[in-house]
Amino acid sequence: MLSDAYGRVATDLRVSLTDRCNLRCTYCMPEEGLQWLAKPDLLTDDEIVRLIDIAVTSLGIEEVRFTGGEPLLRPGLVGIVERVAALHPRPQMSLTTNGIGLKRTAAALKSAGLDRVNVSLDTLRLDVFKTLTRRDRHKDVIQGLHAATEAGLTPVKVNSVLMPGLNDDEAPDLLAWAVEHDYELRFIEQMPLDAQHGWKRDGMITAGDILASLHTRFGLSEEGSEKRGSAPAERWLVDGGPHRVGVIASVTRPFCAACDRTRLTADGQIRTCLFAAEETDLRAALRADAPDEEITRIWREAMWGKKAGGGLDDPTFVQPDRPMSAIGG
């Protein structure tokens, strides 16, 4: 079991498979990209599967989410999914992607054992997409979403970040589109995880702003905390249901007290929180031929030191040095 000093138990593992991405979203990285991790620094497929095996069989992990960077850029992704699906007990598996490569991989991922996907899409407008991502790939994302639905990677969830002056007026249109296509839309407050350190709290679109915009077109009824559990999104029924919309208010309505996550970076570091300033190295133990019991001990000790909150409300908070692309979403 992965428990911490505040009584929380981690059952959800986020695994970053690569720090690379084929988009350059303005809230994540600069236009020229980043200094990518060297290949020897990345965990191998065997190392990733071994750590997930330990997490599932010895530490109580029940759900595994593959992230990046962009996880579809990982050459061995389908094989990793297939091997994790063969574990006993078998964890639930999902993947967070920008959707560009889903058209060609969705069917193979489903056959390998992936359960569902989260796809990032911030706008329905081609010109705004190009401005936000610095790439002209909107059509590929839409095709990827359709492919995910056809492959049965459902429910398909769509993650959207609203940015002032770009797409901050699109919340109702995005929700109408998601309802039409049977996607579950989730708005995410922009978090201070950009490589340029350009995030400013007073300029972000808040959960309150998003909900006020949605209320201009839809009737929303809150599901309630009993159905939310440890999920990061507060969810509302849209016009009485059955469709839902979620808001992940990491900044203005933090949900740290119910957090059940542990994170593994692409280079084998344990992070107890996206906003953590410290990491714990598992790669060194792996490559020193440490037994499973030693890796289990290191992981448990790291999680026991997890802080009570994410740190955004702490006056001493310092934005992490690593951008989101390097530590997973």
Side-chain angles (χ1 to χ4, degrees), residues 2-126:
L2 281 172
S3 56
D4 65 30
Y6 299 93
R8 297 168 297 194
V9 177
T11 57
D12 184 334
L13 169 62
R14 304 297 169 101
V15 180
S16 175
L17 298 178
T18 178
D19 59 331
R20 296 174 183 265
C21 189
N22 42 13
L23 296 180
R24 296 292 181 268
C25 296
T26 57
Y27 51 78
C28 185
M29 69 172 73
E31 186 171 4
E32 64 274 14
L34 300 166
Q35 183 66 45
W36 307 123
L37 293 168
K39 188 173 182 179
D41 293 336
L42 294 170
L43 293 178
T44 66
D45 294 359
D46 288 344
E47 288 170 337
I48 289 170
V49 173
R50 183 185 173 197
L51 288 176
I52 294 175
D53 188 359
I54 291 170
V56 169
T57 59
S58 301
L59 295 171
I61 290 298
E62 299 171 357
E63 180 175 351
V64 176
R65 171 83 62 86
F66 297 108
T67 70
E70 173 45 53
L72 296 183
L73 295 179
R74 177 87 186 202
L77 173 60
V78 173
I80 291 171
V81 170
E82 189 170 35
R83 292 169 67 183
V84 173
L87 296 178
H88 297 284
R90 180 199 186 281
Q92 287 290 305
M93 285 186 291
S94 58
L95 178 142
T96 296
T97 172
N98 62 30
I100 287 175
L102 267 181
K103 182 180 178 181
R104 59 179 173 78
T105 57
L109 287 168
K110 180 63 177 179
S111 295
L114 191 70
D115 294 301
R116 63 171 190 82
V117 293
N118 285 33
V119 179
S120 299
L121 181 64
D122 302 321
T123 178
L124 300 176
R125 303 169 185 163
L126 275 64

Side-chain angles (χ1 to χ4, degrees), residues 143-206:
Q143 290 177 341
L145 282 161
H146 292 329
T149 299
E150 290 174 2
L153 293 170
T154 55
V156 175
K157 296 183 179 180
V158 176
N159 296 337
S160 297
V161 176
L162 298 183
M163 302 285 289
L166 286 172
N167 62 339
D168 52 344
D169 61 338
E170 283 198 69
D173 290 340
L174 281 163
L175 182 52
W177 166 81
V179 167
E180 178 186 356
H181 294 281
D182 201 25
Y183 304 141
E184 184 173 323
L185 180 62
R186 306 192 312 172
F187 292 100
I188 304 176
E189 287 183 337
Q190 184 196 0
M191 293 179 283
L193 293 169
D194 59 305
Q196 311 91 291
H197 290 197
W199 178 87
K200 291 183 174 56
R201 184 167 185 156
D202 58 2
M204 62 175 285
I205 307 301
T206 68

